[in-house]
Amino acid sequence: MLGAVLLVLFLFFASQPILNNLQKEHKWLKAGLLNQLYWYHMFFGLVYWTYAQFNRSDSIMYFFSYRHYKNWFDAFVPGTLFIEWINYPFAVWLGFNYDMMMFFSTWVGFWGFVYFYCLMKENLRFNPKFEGWDAITIFMFLPNMHFWTASLGKGAYIFAGLAFLTYGLSWPQKRIFHIVLGSFICYMIRPHILFAVLIGMGVGFVLGREKVPLYQKYAVVVFAIGMSIYVYEDLLVFLGYDPNNVLQSFEEETALNAQRLQAAGSAVDMTSYSLPMKLFTFWFRPLFVDSPNAIGLIVSCENALYIYMFSRILKKSFIEYIRIAPAMVKMAGVVFISISISMTFVMSNLGIIIRQKSQIMYFMLFVIVAFMDWEKTNRIKKRAAIYNRIVEEERRNRELAEAAT
């Protein structure tokens, strides 16, 4: 464990130059807050490490997998093996033990929070508030989001990959490195998530309100379509579907996955649910009445917050906003909805649902706070218009009074 403690300290100091560069680019960025976030996330790394000592954890399998490979690139395959590919050089060449690799992966997950924070902040004019507290800061410290992204496993890496990718897409001309790195990680771990992001990117850039040359919009669409075609067959094979008979193999795999997940405990029979009920279950359960354990109770508090935040967009004005929303908001909405719908057909276990949805909930929260930001902007504009109208009327009255005298 001493090696892990020293590694955590080393990674903290190694992170400072990166955070300083981000602060130079984003003047509003508070490095102190992100340092607090670092230690908060490392605390959850310790919580997960403790949890893994007494419960079955895939992290043990990921770490000791290096014994099964003769060389590094034997594990260079999309899916679970990619985590073993990442683990190999640290375990074999650098001598990392299990504890050190766990906290290194926790550090990777930390960068997901950093770049999601930057994404939200740079796309908003105001700081949305929740009971007087900065909403985005609250989102960054939600415990369930940290627990499932603080261990050696797919959760930390796909979360960081999504953050890199979406942050890069917010300013693609200057962030090619983030786009390439995020796309690579997403493709190697969960190709279907990259597929959803590519579709969302195409929709967002075509329908976004940004005034950019038409050829640039269509260039993005062509790129998204081309990448989607490129990953399509690999995606189907990765998901276990027959490329020559997608519909039948999808139905068979969905039924099989539902049976597997129900047998795992904390089962929810979603096969008879309507799509809205499936989505509600995926987004907002467990709630307090069906929490399976202490972790479920903590997650229930988060889910109650999600329900409250979701209620903020149940307005007629939200439809108007989505119609004129920026490309990043539309992309986030498409990614969140498309991944949510696809997951509801294979998720029927609350434990799996809690883990999987942590990868995409920031997309929903981003859409909500962007809408709140737009509402506040409109209110300020209306107040300014009323104030200007009053000033103009007073000016006219003074002119009329002066003319009468």
Side-chain angles (χ1 to χ4, degrees), residues 242-368:
D242 180 4
N244 299 315
N245 195 349
V246 178
L247 182 60
Q248 181 179 347
S249 59
F250 172 78
E251 293 174 347
E252 293 174 353
E253 188 69 15
T254 298
L256 182 59
N257 282 334
Q259 292 174 5
R260 290 170 180 165
L261 291 170
Q262 286 181 354
S266 302
V268 179
D269 186 9
M270 293 172 59
T271 55
S272 60
Y273 285 6
S274 63
L275 181 59
M277 190 58 192
K278 285 182 178 181
L279 290 173
F280 181 88
T281 299
F282 180 71
W283 293 338
F284 307 127
R285 289 178 67 185
L287 289 170
F288 301 99
V289 295
D290 57 0
S291 300
N293 48 40
I295 294 177
L297 290 174
I298 297 173
V299 176
S300 294
C301 295
E302 285 193 24
N303 287 338
L305 175 63
Y306 292 151
I307 291 174
Y308 171 78
M309 295 304 299
F310 191 81
S311 70
R312 301 294 296 268
I313 66 174
L314 298 180
K315 303 176 181 179
K316 185 178 179 180
S317 57
F318 180 71
I319 304 299
E320 177 188 353
Y321 170 69
I322 285 297
R323 184 179 60 83
I324 62 172
M328 288 304 297
V329 174
K330 289 179 178 176
M331 185 201 75
V334 171
V335 171
F336 178 71
I337 294 297
S338 60
I339 294 178
S340 296
I341 291 175
S342 65
M343 285 187 172
T344 59
F345 286 98
V346 296
M347 299 288 109
S348 58
N349 176 275
L350 288 179
I352 303 297
I353 287 172
I354 292 171
R355 181 183 305 180
Q356 296 296 328
K357 75 178 181 183
S358 63
Q359 301 166 10
I360 63 169
M361 292 307 288
Y362 277 144
F363 289 104
M364 179 193 80
L365 295 174
F366 174 57
V367 172
I368 294 171

Side-chain angles (χ1 to χ4, degrees), residues 140-204:
M140 291 301 113
F141 286 88
L142 294 175
N144 182 59
M145 301 293 288
H146 286 268
F147 183 77
W148 296 113
T149 57
S151 70
L152 174 56
K154 289 180 282 190
Y157 289 91
I158 189 64
F159 181 69
L162 281 170
F164 295 149
L165 178 55
T166 50
Y167 175 77
L169 290 173
S170 184
W171 200 340
Q173 301 93 327
K174 293 190 174 182
R175 298 172 183 169
I176 296 176
F177 171 76
H178 296 90
I179 294 174
V180 172
L181 178 60
S183 298
F184 172 72
I185 295 174
C186 290
Y187 174 75
M188 293 304 296
I189 299 178
R190 297 194 185 280
H192 60 289
I193 288 184
L194 176 60
F195 189 75
V197 173
L198 290 172
I199 293 174
M201 180 179 69
V203 172

Side-chain angles (χ1 to χ4, degrees), residues 191 231-246 249:
V231 305
Y232 176 73
E233 187 166 342
D234 288 340
L235 169 64
L236 292 178
V237 173
F238 172 80
L239 294 175
Y241 304 146
D242 180 4
N244 299 315
N245 195 349
V246 178
S249 59

